[in-house]
Amino acid sequence: MLNRFIATYPKNAEGYFRRATPLIDMTRFDEADHDLQQYLSLAGDKAIANYNVATLVFDKLRLQPEPAYEKWNIDVALKYVDTALSLNASQTPGDEQKTEKARYLILKGMMLMNERRYDDALAVYEELNRESGGGSPTYLYAISMAREGRGDSIEAVMEPIDSAIAKFGTPLPSEAANFIMRRGQLYANSGKYREA
């Protein structure tokens, strides 16, 4: 069906992007890469297109590491997301641009965490937190994870979790459960069992 769609609408970018996924599943990586390049050349919004390709390449690397495809690695995926960020920066500032930038940075942070590049991931999450006005429990949680990954002190790892929990206010809503669990686990890991 995708082949028929592309034959009928060869200038429609979406068809090439949609066809790349089953090609990856069938390990026909050269064909998938070709379709993704077609998608990038035809897409109207190049920032979103680069983000979509970065996501697809990252998913392949994480979820289907074997067989490997020599043209795709984490640096390629990061290049696509960085291109999305630079194209997004050239757009007219507004809520949509800010929302898209946050999506791109979240993906970049996930990629860096997956590669254990904790310093770089921490910089991304701190930027996200700053740009959100410092009030996002989700970004504070990510900051805590990156700090733990790079081996920071228990106090440095705990600080953003405590800040996130404080953002929820009292009484704590159910959304705070994961943050409370993380704080308890951090205490337990550091031998502070009573606090845990």
Side-chain angles (χ1 to χ4, degrees):
M1 292 304 295
L2 287 164
N3 288 341
R4 286 171 60 191
F5 180 86
I6 290 167
T8 307
Y9 306 102
K11 299 293 183 192
N12 185 302
E14 190 72 15
Y16 296 98
F17 181 72
R18 296 287 175 203
R19 187 170 66 180
T21 300
L23 289 171
I24 291 168
D25 292 342
M26 294 184 288
T27 69
R28 292 164 56 181
F29 302 126
D30 282 329
E31 293 171 72
D33 189 55
H34 181 266
D35 272 2
L36 291 176
Q37 298 313 310
Q38 282 291 104
Y39 166 66
L40 287 169
S41 70
L42 294 170
D45 189 326
K46 303 292 187 196
I48 289 175
N50 275 276
Y51 167 81
N52 289 339
V53 173
T55 301
L56 201 59
V57 170
F58 183 49
D59 285 348
K60 188 268 181 252
L61 295 171
R62 282 184 315 128
L63 306 173
Q64 188 184 348
E66 298 298 331
Y69 179 49
E70 67 280 355
K71 289 186 181 178
W72 291 349
N73 56 44
I74 197 63
D75 291 325
V76 169
L78 283 165
K79 185 178 140 243
Y80 283 121
V81 81
D82 283 338
T83 300
L85 282 162
S86 67
L87 291 167
N88 180 262
S90 67
Q91 294 177 355
T92 305
D95 289 343
E96 187 175 332
Q97 183 222 24
K98 190 175 178 181
T99 301
E100 291 302 316
K101 180 181 181 183
R103 281 179 58 206
Y104 305 160
L105 285 172
I106 289 167
L107 177 63
K108 184 173 183 177
M110 287 171 52
M111 290 177 179
L112 293 167
M113 286 293 286
N114 193 64
E115 290 296 297
R116 294 176 166 74
R117 291 166 57 179
Y118 298 116
D119 286 332
D120 295 333
L122 181 60
V124 168
Y125 292 135
E126 287 176 339
E127 180 181 352
L128 279 163
N129 196 49
R130 263 193 317 278
E131 293 193 3
S132 73
S136 170
T138 301
Y139 301 148
L140 290 167
Y141 191 98
I143 288 169
S144 175
M145 296 293 288
R147 286 181 180 178
E148 182 181 31
R150 71 180 193 171
D152 286 8
S153 70
I154 184 66
E155 293 79 19
V157 173
M158 190 74 77
E159 182 267 324
I161 290 297
D162 288 340
S163 296
I165 292 168
K167 297 280 182 198
F168 285 113
T170 52
L172 288 170
S174 60
E175 297 84 47
N178 288 337
F179 298 82
I180 300 296
M181 287 295 295
R182 175 154 174 76
R183 183 165 61 181
Q185 189 62 56
L186 288 169
Y187 276 134
N189 291 349
S190 63
K192 297 181 177 181
Y193 301 115
R194 183 179 300 278
E195 292 91 336

